[in-house]
Amino acid sequence: MPKKKKKVEETLRTGVIYCGDNIEVMERLPSESIDLIYVDPPFFSNRQHEVIWGNGAELRSFADRWMGGIKHYVNWMRERLMEMHRLLKPAGSIYVHLDWRAVHYIKCEMDRIFGIKNFRNEIIWHYSGWNKILKDHFENRNDSILFYGKGDEQVFFGYTIPWDSEDEYVKIRKQKVRTDVDGRKYVLSDAGGGKRIKRYLADAMREGRPVDNVWDIDKINNSSKEFLGYPTQKPEALLERIIKASSNEGDIVADFFCGCGTTLAVAERLSRRWLGCDVSPTACKLVQRRVSKLNKGSRKFEIIGMPVTIDELKKMEPFEFQNHIIVDLLHGTC
Ligand SMILES: C[S@@+](CC[C@H](N)C(=O)[O-])C[C@H]1O[C@@H](n2cnc3c(N)ncnc32)[C@H](O)[C@@H]1O
């Protein structure tokens, strides 16, 4: 029987991108060391995501095929989610981004791993698009993000967006607007125990509108300012909500399926510490460039585990190998 490799608990490093299978990376990291995890794993879509981008020479792609069906996918995710649970601090939170194909299966797994009492929300990310009448179903226009706390001490601030106008606020509250002796507008708000307090419209406008679990945010398309050409790139606005709602400045944010690094770029911009992992060397290099640009190259972000030996290079997918060489030639790192 092959000997089980001894796990090494490294001290946690931030500002680094691990290139490799996340299960192997996570197993090396210390328990209860991360404040917030967001992951956006392959979705069980039975597709190969491919896109030609940049000058047309680079081909990005990642496999999202599960020959063994949903059971295989769930088993694969289970061992990773268990590691994420171990890595989270007691006050930490996790957000797992899925869609209608796998969310129900993964919800059952997460209830088992994180505890049903720690389930907080299924966030519905709704995006607009051109809808057609289909033969036997409605258009799917949402992804689902499962949000769990690790326990009762969980850090959470919520998130607000601006009100369009005082009229919008009043319409939703369905209350009569009154005016005090100084001419300031208010509504009467229920303060519990039969008590009513004045809620000034100016205060409500300043504090903003708390968001619920349905988030309307545009998808990234090739005319978006943020567009990098990475398939399944997520909008920064989505990550900004998650990171602001569930972490403080200086906290440690991790994304173990980081793709082109949306989580890491937003964490960097919001003064959080971060670490990322992706199995694709192309993605890791893209992340490194993306976060370096944010601080104008003043800080070096290291990629750990980039393939270098002949054996490692031979193991790469053909398109990964091609990208690896082309990106290096284009950016002068070869
Ligand atoms: C849906 S994409 C993530 C997109 C990302 N949220 C963004 O905004 O760019 C999923 C990523 O998971 C990576 N991936 C798949 N299997 C992996 C594994 N075992 N370990 C690490 N990364 C993996 C893929 O290479 C891909 O970049």
Side-chain angles (χ1 to χ4, degrees), residues 251-269:
D251 278 357
I252 300 182
V253 177
D255 184 341
F256 295 105
F257 291 92
C258 70
C260 67
T262 311
T263 313
L264 316 178
V266 178
E268 175 69 19
R269 183 161 55 72

Side-chain angles (χ1 to χ4, degrees), residues 18 20-23 38-43 49 61-64 66 76 80 97 230-235 239 255-263 277-280 283 290 320:
Y18 289 92
D21 188 339
N22 50 20
I23 189 75
Y38 164 88
V39 283
D40 172 22
F43 275 5
H49 298 276
S61 170
F62 70 86
D64 187 359
W66 304 97
W76 186 84
R80 288 167 173 78
H97 192 137
Y230 197 81
T232 75
Q233 178 184 352
K234 298 301 180 293
L239 270 303
D255 184 341
F256 295 105
F257 291 92
C258 70
C260 67
T262 311
T263 313
C277 173
D278 204 285
V279 73
S280 153
R290 185 173 182 180
E320 276 292 352

Side-chain angles (χ1 to χ4, degrees), residues 4-13 16-34 79-80 83-84 86-87 256 275-278 302-306 312:
K4 200 161 170 23
K5 259 199 314 198
K6 191 174 177 303
K7 292 175 191 167
V8 187
E9 288 230 338
E10 290 176 0
T11 38
L12 194 86
R13 293 180 58 187
V16 292
I17 307 132
Y18 289 92
C19 184
D21 188 339
N22 50 20
I23 189 75
E24 288 166 19
V25 170
M26 288 190 282
E27 282 173 353
R28 305 203 303 259
L29 303 178
S31 303
E32 300 194 347
S33 55
I34 295 173
E79 56 174 344
R80 288 167 173 78
E83 276 304 305
M84 291 177 208
R86 181 184 67 78
L87 293 177
F256 295 105
L275 63 149
C277 173
D278 204 285
E302 194 186 339
I303 304 179
I304 300 173
M306 207 61 169
E312 287 166 341

Side-chain angles (χ1 to χ4, degrees), residues 19 30 39 64 70 82 99 121-122 140 145 153 190 205 298:
C19 184
V39 283
D64 187 359
I70 190 72
M82 284 168 66
D99 74 5
N121 287 112
E122 177 178 351
N140 284 302
I145 305 172
E153 305 302 312
D190 191 354
M205 290 303 106
S298 64

Side-chain angles (χ1 to χ4, degrees), residues 66-96:
W66 304 97
M67 295 311 173
I70 190 72
K71 225 167 145 185
H72 176 71
Y73 179 76
V74 171
N75 288 341
W76 186 84
M77 280 297 290
R78 181 185 304 120
E79 56 174 344
R80 288 167 173 78
L81 290 169
M82 284 168 66
E83 276 304 305
M84 291 177 208
H85 181 260
R86 181 184 67 78
L87 293 177
L88 267 189
K89 288 184 187 172
S93 303
I94 181 166
Y95 292 72
V96 178

Side-chain angles (χ1 to χ4, degrees), residues 98-330:
L98 298 153
D99 74 5
W100 62 92
R101 284 168 280 233
V103 64
H104 308 97
Y105 299 93
I106 299 298
K107 165 81 169 58
C108 295
E109 279 310 309
M110 291 190 75
D111 282 347
R112 276 191 279 272
I113 298 168
F114 289 85
I116 200 158
K117 74 175 181 45
N118 294 319
F119 171 66
R120 301 288 180 254
N121 287 112
E122 177 178 351
I123 295 166
I124 303 297
W125 171 31
H126 175 251
Y127 33 82
S128 54
W130 176 248
N131 289 343
K132 297 185 286 294
I133 299 281
L134 303 174
K135 201 168 141 247
D136 59 0
H137 68 285
F138 302 103
E139 292 270 14
N140 284 302
R141 285 277 175 237
N142 78 286
D143 287 1
S144 292
I145 305 172
L146 299 174
F147 165 31
Y148 287 73
K150 177 124 178 211
D152 298 340
E153 305 302 312
Q154 175 211 346
V155 167
F156 187 68
F157 304 107
Y159 190 86
T160 57
I161 53 175
W163 289 99
D164 287 345
S165 62
E166 289 186 353
D167 286 350
E168 185 197 22
Y169 175 79
V170 171
K171 198 170 152 202
I172 287 180
R173 302 243 13 184
K174 296 190 177 66
Q175 272 161 346
K176 195 174 150 200
V177 180
R178 300 157 197 262
T179 310
D180 73 5
V181 286
D182 299 320
R184 294 187 300 163
K185 287 194 263 177
Y186 67 93
V187 294
L188 285 176
S189 197
D190 191 354
K195 261 178 74 185
R196 315 251 290 160
I197 52 161
K198 285 179 185 164
R199 176 86 171 122
Y200 284 99
L201 265 51
D203 291 341
M205 290 303 106
R206 198 178 46 253
E207 286 161 24
R209 177 179 183 167
V211 299
D212 54 32
N213 72 318
V214 180
W215 296 359
D216 269 294
I217 295 175
D218 287 340
K219 259 189 160 177
I220 298 284
N221 59 40
N222 53 12
S223 58
S224 313
K225 252 169 62 191
E226 296 168 36
F227 181 68
L228 293 173
Y230 197 81
T232 75
Q233 178 184 352
K234 298 301 180 293
E236 293 202 1
L238 189 77
L239 270 303
E240 183 170 318
R241 286 190 184 189
I242 291 171
I243 292 175
K244 282 192 173 166
S246 289
S247 68
N248 288 288
E249 280 192 12
D251 278 357
I252 300 182
V253 177
D255 184 341
F256 295 105
F257 291 92
C258 70
C260 67
T262 311
T263 313
L264 316 178
V266 178
E268 175 69 19
R269 183 161 55 72
L270 297 176
S271 306
R272 271 66 172 173
R273 291 175 289 161
W274 54 263
L275 63 149
C277 173
D278 204 285
V279 73
S280 153
T282 315
C284 294
K285 285 191 210 174
L286 188 54
V287 176
Q288 190 185 39
R289 284 208 303 278
R290 185 173 182 180
V291 286
S292 300
K293 260 195 203 157
L294 283 175
N295 29 21
K296 302 188 175 73
S298 64
R299 200 176 145 205
K300 183 109 186 74
F301 299 102
E302 194 186 339
I303 304 179
I304 300 173
M306 207 61 169
V308 279
T309 66
I310 299 288
D311 276 351
E312 287 166 341
L313 289 167
K314 272 189 190 159
K315 276 192 208 146
M316 289 170 80
E317 301 272 354
F319 64 84
E320 276 292 352
F321 181 75
Q322 180 188 318
N323 280 345
H324 188 58
I325 302 302
I326 292 171
V327 173
D328 278 350
L329 285 173
L330 284 174

